[in-house]
Amino acid sequence: MASHQRLRARQAHAPGPTYLAYTPSGKKLVTAGVDNYCRVFTTGSDDEPVTVDECQENNTAVVAGSGFFITGSEDGTVSRYSLENGKFEEILVRTTLPVRDVALSPDGNWIAVASDELVVNLVSIKDKTVRTLRDQPRAVKHVSFDKTGTQLAVSCTDGNVYIYSLDEDQPEMVKKVEGMIKSMESDAESSSKVLWHPDGRAFATPTAMRQIQVMSTSDWERQRVFKTGHTADITAAAWSPNGALLATTSSDLSLCLWDTKTQKLLNKFDEVKATILVMAWHPTENILSYTNNEGELFIHTDIVPDEHVSLLQKPTISAPFFHDPSEGRAGVAPIAKLTNGNLQTLPGRPRQRSGTPDSLEDILGPEFQDDPAQEDGDEEMNDFVVDDDGAGYAQAMGLQKKRTNGHLTAGPEPASKRRAYSSALFRPQIHEPFQPGSTPWRGQRRLLCCSLTGYVETVEQEGKHHTISVKFYDEHTFRNYHFTDIFLYDKCSLNETGTLFACQPNSTGDGNTAMIYYRPHETWTTRTEWRTNLPAGESVTAIALSDSYIVVTTSTNYVRIYSLFGLPIRVYRQKSAPAVTCAAWRNYILTIGNGPVQNDLSTQLLYTIENVKHDVVYQDSDILALPPGTKLTSVFFSSEGDPYVYDSEGVLLVCLHWRNPGQAQWVPMLDTKLLARRAGGGKEESYWPVGVAASLDDALAPKFHCMIVKGREAYPSAPVPHLSEFGFEIPLRSAVDKDGGGVRKRKGRRGSFSHDEDGEDEDDGDDGGAGLTTKSNEAKQYEHEQTFILSSTLHTQLASSTRPSTTHKRALGQLEIAIDRALLQLLGLECLAGEDHGMKALEIVSLMRDANGNMLELAGKVAARYGREVLGEKIRELAERKALARGGGDGDEEEDEL
Amino acid sequence: MALSLPPGLTPPEIAFLCEMELVTIIPRQRLEGVELLAGPIRPLHPPHRSNIPLWLALLLKRQRRANILPPPWLNTHSLTAILDHETEHAETFSPPPRLPPQPSSNTLPTSPPFLPHSTADAAPDALPYHWLELGEMLLEAASDDFEEADNVRKLLRGLREVRMAKLRSGVEVLDAGGGFKMNGVGGIEVGEGRAFITGVIDGLRKIAASREQQRKDRDQEELENGYSGTANYDDDEMDMQ
């Protein structure tokens, strides 16, 4: 620790605006001001500073890297100087108008130059290549790189912040943040600078209300606010190196220190004599340095009072979110906050994502992370890791794990690397539990549930309560309602009978137990709502509501089943644990849990389907087929009662044959990546599954209902988008050579002539198909193949359902006809293709269901039209055999399969 | 007394015809099916989408019983693309939507009011016959169902200007025997253009007729007194010099 020094002003420059910067190691401090030299101070020494001459006058910005520093001046030059010999090196860039700010990227390779010109220049320090950012309409006041150097925040004088992504070769504006900073002149003393929080997931800016507003970068939602109480505009602010403290100052001549976690004032210094323009924390020590507009430099040692100094020594702490993004969908608090350290109750913990392939954290292992005692005692070791490029790895990233990205962690890591993480050699990745249809917090809002009945949204309010609103799609039958929620319900399930809520233990902070709350919808008579408690310490992982039962899976691996009146019907322990989620439809319940660990260290998901009323288990701990690296996004029953799952790859799967133990199969019904609306490419959107229901027009064609989420977001947010529906399309071929339906325009412009031909051919299989291209033939074949396989799958699905009724039989008959029709079309195409396709044509004919015997006759006619006599003969034989089989009794089905 | 209306359809009449178009709605409440002369209306079942005639959709929208889904060509992205196409190709209009394959022999071919050109699954890149009327009506009655209603309005306005300019400039070639290709022109554009174009053609016809008359007269004169024609001709040349 540095020796105690009395706070005194050092006259660094002639009176006038003065700026400063620390080198990444914190050893040197550079100041620049109105006069034509810069000064380099050495931390912890009272010696006269080194003076670097040959500078420009009226400097407006200074940044320091390892071994050099860069100044920007009002005459438009940005110059680089060496720190070692204190000499001018070169002019990096010249602007036509005064430079207002310069920012250095964390890797020290790029600078961003803001000037009164309308553009921001990104200049490479090495070869002086320039990239230009042009999206802002007015002059720019501040620029600021984020901690990884992949994003640049530009504070424009028009009162908006423009965020650029620097990942690509050509920088691209990713977000325009409106209404956060104040619109001010580019030479104003007040600041609108974007302050990236050291944890990298949020930034803060001074607002027009003289507050500091935090915004998360994952969803661009406003998070907590520091109500600074400054009576004039904020002129400078800075996060402490670990993000635990915030220093703000304003032209009302006060300097405040804030605790990030609570946003409370820790200390206030009023003895400021002149407006502070720049503040900088020393990278490791308890020092805050600042320069003012009188040319003075203050090196304020021990700025954090002793009672709070522990805050400064912590590892990087989280930015002040309303809800930490790492909580994810399950809303599970980060690991450190949980009371019982049992790993089994922490299924949601994501695996740490390694930042760089060989970051020091990985190499050094946990011994060198976040151990305050060691940091104090072993200064040499601290110095060993010199944070040269400001990448932030000298401060341990510590407990603050970034959220896992499913696709990034797809592959297994090398064992050596994994060993470095902790002493445990084996850390399986457990599937995060989730409530189907719920989204993570976004700002203060969150969707708790969305179903085909409606959706439930919760909004966090000041004063530790939420407001839950239940919205129905059918506003006539049901009535929308909202209520104040003091139990902080975090799970919900909604159907046409009622709404089910669940809250976690200790959600109100006074040690309450987990609770389930069922609220039936209003009907002709008032029905009573009820609540029931779970045993102490047991938390709810997922809930499901059907027309007759309520299912609750809990952290103690119990499945609890209640009736709609709150009567416990059954309690049993789930075989596959920890539980992931559950779903229910009428008497059927589906529970999903983590099963054995697979070779990529993720667990296999196992599901169980049972009928509560008849007490029959249909599928017992069967495997839920998910490709490696894929997560389950949602699970639900369709309105016809078939279990569907939707995975993070955007594939909707249905469980076929689920009523026969051991026979179940997961069949993909729709791959949203292959949707025709995305054929053109360039459309970036995802689909949030809501349900599957048969359409009214055609009861045989179930549709997938979802919310379309535009952009890179993964979850819908307010305002909740309208439901969209898509017909099923079993993925057969790549989207490119699919039918022309997706690219209608080109065909349409060619004129309708060719389509007329198409139409004719489609209908009666005209012989003269000379005008047809093979491409459209292929497209038609694809279409018929699709119809065939889809109808067959739906037929299988329908045939295996248990209740035979007249409508059921009729539906089966219609599907059979649909299958046969598709086959007939395929047969026509094969006949058209040539004589050598006879074998395939016969196979197609043999696949026909031929419920009434007419279809084979038709097939014979098709063959005759194309003049395929041999094929016609074979078809007649087949028809005779089938007729014989039908006449001779249903016994020998084998004949058909020949 | 003769009806003082101009020939052709008035804009309200065209708008009335446009109300036959099918649009997609998301109902907000259940509704039994209705058997109408124009065809049955299927029962509405929230949240399932349904295609119903525009007049009913507007009625339900006003009563807050439904949300109308604007057709895909009525979003800023598509309209911008179409507007670009219109400005790039100065002579032709953007093509109308592709017609479906002809139905089998014994049914009548379908035409716009019976084709789903304005439902949620219509083609996003072509303006149907009733584009302007439908767009205006939807923007008026259901602007809250649009994502960027103001921009859509602006683009529609731009499209209308561009296409009207084309229609007007097309008149220049409408001389004797001249033709002008009007593929893809919408209903209201035809209605608006009709008065102007017929007026122009009528005027041209009159001019041509008077010229014709003059020629006839001159010919007759020539026939009557053989030499005066050439003398006149010389005079004319003198005048011009």
Side-chain angles (χ1 to χ4, degrees):
Chain A
M1 287 282 150
S3 58
H4 286 266
Q5 288 170 321
R6 199 172 52 84
L7 179 64
R8 63 179 176 86
R10 299 165 198 235
Q11 194 67 40
H13 295 275
T18 309
Y19 302 89
L20 89 160
Y22 268 111
T23 58
S25 61
K27 295 228 165 75
K28 308 269 189 198
L29 172 72
V30 187
T31 63
V34 288
D35 32 23
N36 61 353
Y37 52 85
C38 295
R39 294 198 139 156
V40 180
F41 294 80
T42 306
T43 302
S45 103
D46 268 340
D47 299 342
E48 262 307 293
V50 180
T51 303
V52 179
D53 291 322
E54 310 168 54
C55 291
Q56 308 296 328
E57 288 186 358
N58 291 331
N59 294 305
T60 52
V62 58
V63 287
S66 47
F68 64 91
F69 68 91
I70 294 165
T71 63
S73 134
E74 277 197 3
D75 67 358
T77 52
V78 177
S79 328
R80 183 170 75 166
Y81 303 86
S82 164
L83 266 179
E84 278 135 31
N85 50 16
K87 285 278 182 291
F88 166 77
E89 280 185 342
E90 59 180 335
I91 290 181
L92 289 171
V93 67
R94 270 181 210 277
T95 60
T96 51
L97 292 168
V99 172
R100 292 302 171 195
D101 197 11
V102 176
L104 181 69
S105 72
D107 59 5
N109 291 335
W110 291 87
I111 53 167
V113 179
S115 66
D116 282 357
E117 292 177 24
L118 300 188
V119 296
V120 170
N121 288 317
L122 270 178
V123 185
S124 167
I125 287 174
K126 294 207 175 99
D127 49 9
K128 297 208 261 182
T129 50
V130 178
R131 295 178 188 168
T132 316
L133 315 179
R134 310 176 176 275
D135 282 312
Q136 59 282 349
R138 286 177 62 184
V140 171
K141 186 154 164 59
H142 299 283
V143 282
S144 168
F145 280 99
D146 79 341
K147 297 296 148 188
T148 56
T150 55
Q151 288 190 319
L152 179 76
V154 172
S155 307
C156 183
T157 50
D158 67 355
N160 296 325
V161 179
Y162 298 81
I163 312 271
Y164 289 89
S165 165
L166 310 178
D167 279 338
E168 308 292 323
D169 245 10
Q170 189 54 43
E172 185 192 1
M173 190 182 87
V174 291
K175 179 71 186 172
K176 174 181 174 185
V177 181
E178 292 177 32
M180 196 148 147
I181 57 171
K182 191 179 168 185
S183 169
M184 52 180 78
E185 289 303 312
S186 59
D187 55 353
E189 278 184 347
S190 317
S191 164
S192 59
K193 194 175 176 74
V194 168
L195 314 162
W196 293 91
H197 191 272
D199 84 345
R201 299 178 297 169
F203 63 83
T205 64
T207 66
M209 303 290 292
R210 296 159 190 168
Q211 297 170 338
I212 298 278
Q213 169 79 54
V214 180
M215 178 175 272
S216 55
T217 55
S218 55
D219 49 11
W220 311 108
E221 282 291 325
R222 275 155 214 246
Q223 304 289 345
R224 295 194 190 275
V225 176
F226 292 87
K227 298 191 174 74
T228 57
H230 285 300
T231 54
D233 277 346
I234 291 170
T235 53
W239 297 106
S240 69
N242 63 354
L245 297 162
L246 175 72
T248 64
T249 181
S250 125
S251 39
D252 66 358
L253 304 183
S254 61
L255 171 65
C256 299
L257 270 187
W258 305 87
D259 181 5
T260 300
K261 210 168 163 188
T262 57
Q263 299 100 48
K264 291 269 165 26
L265 183 66
L266 293 183
N267 210 345
K268 186 168 182 177
F269 302 92
D270 285 327
E271 67 270 27
V272 180
K273 295 291 185 298
T275 304
I276 297 172
L277 291 182
V278 185
M279 291 194 288
W281 289 85
H282 188 278
T284 48
E285 288 172 34
N286 184 2
I287 301 176
L288 180 73
S289 303
Y290 44 88
T291 48
N292 60 19
N293 59 3
E294 291 294 329
E296 291 168 327
L297 164 73
F298 293 84
I299 299 178
H300 199 148
T301 51
D302 299 319
I303 178 134
V304 182
D306 286 342
E307 63 264 34
H308 299 304
V309 85
S310 62
L311 281 174
L312 201 59
Q313 289 158 350
K314 279 184 184 171
T316 307
I317 78 150
S318 161
F321 296 110
F322 286 117
H323 294 279
D324 199 305
S326 67
E327 281 176 16
R329 283 177 70 190
V332 179
I335 181 165
K337 290 176 189 162
L338 281 183
T339 43
N340 48 353
N342 184 358
L343 227 162
Q344 286 233 321
T345 59
L346 308 168
R349 188 181 177 194
R351 185 157 49 145
Q352 186 187 32
R353 188 173 66 197
S354 49
T356 47
D358 49 0
S359 79
L360 277 172
E361 194 191 337
D362 289 355
I363 296 163
L364 296 178
E367 292 84 354
F368 293 97
Q369 294 179 25
D370 53 43
D371 190 349
Q374 208 164 15
E375 268 177 33
D376 282 348
D378 203 349
E379 285 213 34
E380 280 169 17
M381 272 328 274
N382 263 349
D383 274 357
F384 167 67
V385 188
V386 177
D387 193 352
D388 276 329
D389 53 14
Y393 48 66
Q395 330 126 13
M397 287 305 275
L399 281 176
Q400 207 44 63
K401 313 291 192 226
K402 283 180 187 161
R403 198 171 160 207
T404 325
N405 250 345
H407 56 93
L408 283 179
T409 57
E413 293 169 57
S416 59
K417 191 164 278 182
R418 213 165 47 241
R419 205 164 284 132
Y421 278 124
S422 71
S423 54
L425 289 172
F426 179 70
R427 183 174 289 172
Q429 205 187 350
I430 301 167
H431 196 293
E432 183 183 35
F434 67 92
Q435 174 69 21
S438 74
T439 65
W441 284 102
R442 184 188 158 111
Q444 283 166 281
R445 286 174 174 274
R446 175 179 184 193
L447 267 182
L448 286 181
C449 165
C450 49
S451 73
L452 285 174
T453 314
Y455 57 89
V456 182
E457 201 178 16
T458 183
V459 181
E460 188 179 35
Q461 306 286 351
E462 296 275 330
K464 195 107 177 100
H465 70 269
H466 295 174
T467 306
I468 288 185
S469 53
V470 181
K471 299 252 171 64
F472 295 98
Y473 290 120
D474 185 351
E475 289 171 355
H476 191 65
T477 317
F478 309 105
R479 196 172 300 159
N480 293 346
Y481 64 89
H482 59 93
F483 62 93
T484 305
D485 160 30
I486 54 162
F487 295 104
L488 312 187
Y489 296 116
D490 67 340
K491 293 190 171 49
C492 174
S493 184
L494 173 72
N495 71 1
E496 299 198 338
T497 54
T499 325
L500 179 70
F501 299 94
C503 69
Q504 297 301 336
N506 202 23
S507 58
T508 55
D510 54 2
N512 61 330
T513 56
M515 187 179 67
I516 298 159
Y517 167 44
Y518 179 66
R519 175 167 173 159
H521 300 323
E522 286 173 23
T523 49
W524 51 274
T525 174
T526 45
R527 279 197 270 172
T528 47
E529 51 188 46
W530 52 265
R531 294 165 212 267
T532 184
N533 289 327
L534 294 187
E538 195 168 329
S539 62
V540 177
T541 54
I543 56 175
L545 173 67
S546 80
D547 292 345
S548 35
Y549 292 103
I550 285 168
V551 187
V552 180
T553 58
T554 68
S555 60
T556 45
N557 295 330
Y558 289 128
V559 177
R560 296 171 179 274
I561 299 169
Y562 299 87
S563 80
L564 285 190
F565 298 95
L567 200 65
I569 304 283
R570 204 159 294 162
V571 179
Y572 61 88
R573 178 156 276 179
Q574 199 174 347
K575 288 179 190 166
S576 46
V580 174
T581 188
C582 60
W585 182 76
R586 293 197 188 155
N587 299 327
Y588 300 100
I589 64 163
L590 166 68
T591 53
I592 296 177
N594 286 288
V597 176
Q598 302 176 79
N599 53 6
D600 66 346
L601 280 187
S602 65
T603 55
Q604 200 162 41
L605 293 185
L606 300 181
Y607 70 97
T608 301
I609 303 180
E610 65 174 304
N611 185 324
V612 180
K613 193 174 173 191
H614 298 135
D615 210 359
V616 182
V617 175
Y618 289 108
Q619 299 293 335
D620 186 16
S621 300
D622 192 27
I623 294 162
L624 181 66
L626 283 182
T630 313
K631 299 263 177 194
L632 199 59
T633 303
S634 187
V635 53
F636 49 85
F637 280 95
S638 71
S639 59
E640 285 73 41
D642 287 295
Y644 283 82
V645 297
Y646 187 82
D647 67 20
S648 56
E649 293 288 308
V651 182
L652 178 76
L653 301 129
V654 67
C655 192
L656 270 193
H657 303 298
W658 57 271
R659 284 183 174 87
N660 306 325
Q663 296 282 308
Q665 269 176 338
W666 289 98
V667 179
M669 295 306 264
L670 182 68
D671 188 342
T672 53
K673 286 212 167 59
L674 302 179
L675 279 176
R677 55 183 277 125
R678 293 175 73 164
K683 217 173 210 174
E684 199 169 0
E685 58 186 22
S686 59
Y687 306 90
W688 184 245
V690 174
V692 167
S695 61
L696 295 168
D697 306 347
D698 187 1
L700 299 175
K703 292 242 166 98
F704 171 54
H705 293 255
C706 59
M707 295 174 183
I708 297 176
V709 185
K710 305 258 181 203
R712 293 178 196 175
E713 308 268 324
Y715 304 105
S717 58
V720 178
H722 287 313
L723 290 188
S724 303
E725 49 189 44
F726 296 107
F728 286 161
E729 192 173 338
I730 293 174
L732 293 180
R733 296 189 194 172
S734 70
V736 182
D737 61 334
K738 227 164 52 178
D739 64 325
V743 274
R744 265 170 243 172
K745 51 180 172 184
R746 298 290 154 229
K747 281 200 155 183
R749 279 175 194 166
R750 222 180 288 148
S752 56
F753 179 66
S754 64
H755 298 300
D756 295 354
E757 265 191 5
D758 285 11
E760 252 172 58
D761 186 79
E762 196 167 354
D763 209 61
D764 49 18
D766 201 313
D767 209 357
L772 288 174
T773 58
T774 43
K775 173 120 179 135
S776 74
N777 251 347
E778 251 175 45
K780 261 188 292 182
Q781 184 169 359
Y782 171 78
E783 198 178 304
H784 298 317
E785 281 173 1
Q786 179 68 41
T787 323
F788 166 64
I789 192 162
L790 188 59
S791 306
S792 315
T793 312
L794 290 175
H795 186 272
T796 318
Q797 185 181 356
L798 196 62
S800 64
S801 81
T802 49
R803 288 182 200 167
S805 65
T806 49
T807 51
H808 181 220
K809 269 189 193 145
R810 192 172 346 118
L812 277 180
Q814 279 170 347
L815 278 174
E816 276 173 13
I817 290 170
I819 295 170
D820 284 356
R821 197 176 290 146
L823 287 173
L824 214 53
Q825 303 275 16
L826 283 174
L827 176 67
L829 288 175
E830 292 304 327
C831 287
L832 186 65
E835 193 75 56
D836 51 338
H837 286 240
M839 291 287 276
K840 188 174 175 189
L842 189 62
E843 185 203 49
I844 289 172
V845 176
S846 65
L847 280 174
M848 288 190 172
R849 307 276 167 147
D850 196 26
N852 46 13
N854 290 342
M855 281 298 175
L856 284 182
E857 213 170 288
L858 278 175
K861 277 185 187 166
V862 169
R865 169 170 297 169
Y866 288 98
R868 312 273 182 247
E869 273 86 21
V870 188
L871 180 62
E873 194 60 36
K874 295 265 182 205
I875 291 174
R876 259 191 299 287
E877 273 175 32
L878 187 70
E880 275 166 23
R881 254 187 294 153
K882 281 212 175 179
L884 220 72
R886 208 178 296 126
D890 304 346
D892 45 358
E893 291 278 308
E894 292 81 42
E895 280 287 301
D896 295 358
E897 290 167 16
L898 284 177
Chain B
M1 202 180 92
L3 196 60
S4 62
L5 285 176
L9 296 174
T10 59
E13 285 165 345
I14 298 169
F16 177 76
L17 289 180
C18 168
E19 291 190 353
M20 284 286 290
E21 289 272 333
L22 292 180
V23 293
T24 306
I25 58 156
I26 300 176
R28 287 269 162 261
Q29 70 167 67
R30 275 162 213 250
L31 195 73
E32 294 295 313
V34 196
E35 292 291 335
L36 295 176
L37 275 181
I41 291 184
R42 296 178 188 284
L44 302 181
H45 224 66
H48 297 272
R49 297 167 173 214
S50 194
N51 292 343
I52 60 170
L54 179 62
W55 60 268
L56 182 60
L58 292 176
L59 197 69
L60 291 178
K61 174 71 196 174
R62 288 204 187 98
Q63 296 172 347
R64 296 169 182 277
R65 292 169 201 262
N67 286 93
I68 301 178
L69 285 175
W73 50 264
L74 207 53
N75 69 33
T76 47
H77 186 76
S78 307
L79 287 179
T80 318
I82 295 172
L83 189 58
D84 286 348
H85 181 270
E86 290 277 355
T87 41
E88 271 170 34
H89 301 78
E91 300 88 42
T92 53
F93 295 90
S94 65
R98 173 201 186 198
L99 291 171
Q102 275 307 319
S104 54
S105 51
N106 51 2
T107 52
L108 288 170
T110 46
S111 61
F114 305 105
L115 287 177
H117 276 168
S118 306
T119 56
D121 44 4
D125 51 5
L127 294 179
Y129 186 62
H130 284 302
W131 65 275
L132 185 57
E133 310 89 295
L134 193 104
E136 292 286 339
M137 273 192 259
L138 288 188
L139 280 171
E140 188 212 329
S143 57
D144 52 330
D145 290 334
F146 283 83
E147 271 174 37
E148 301 162 280
D150 290 342
N151 283 339
V152 171
R153 208 169 272 139
K154 207 190 288 169
L155 286 166
L156 273 185
R157 188 83 202 166
L159 266 176
R160 186 187 138 91
E161 305 269 316
V162 171
R163 290 167 65 109
M164 278 317 273
K166 276 186 198 175
L167 263 185
R168 279 195 217 103
S169 67
V171 165
E172 286 169 14
V173 299
L174 276 183
D175 214 340
F180 181 53
K181 202 176 172 194
M182 285 183 43
N183 287 12
V185 176
I188 206 135
E189 289 165 311
V190 171
E192 282 191 324
R194 188 190 298 268
F196 178 66
I197 292 172
T198 51
V200 167
I201 291 179
D202 213 35
L204 283 172
R205 190 176 54 78
K206 275 178 195 159
I207 294 169
S210 67
R211 206 181 284 158
E212 187 82 352
Q213 190 64 39
Q214 270 181 344
R215 205 165 60 83
K216 272 182 189 167
D217 290 352
R218 205 165 49 204
D219 284 357
Q220 209 160 9
E221 255 175 62
E222 270 178 39
L223 275 180
E224 281 169 11
N225 42 3
Y227 303 102
S228 61
T230 44
N232 277 350
Y233 209 72
D234 287 342
D235 283 351
D236 281 354
E237 274 186 337
M238 296 280 280
D239 287 346
M240 280 168 79
Q241 283 164 1

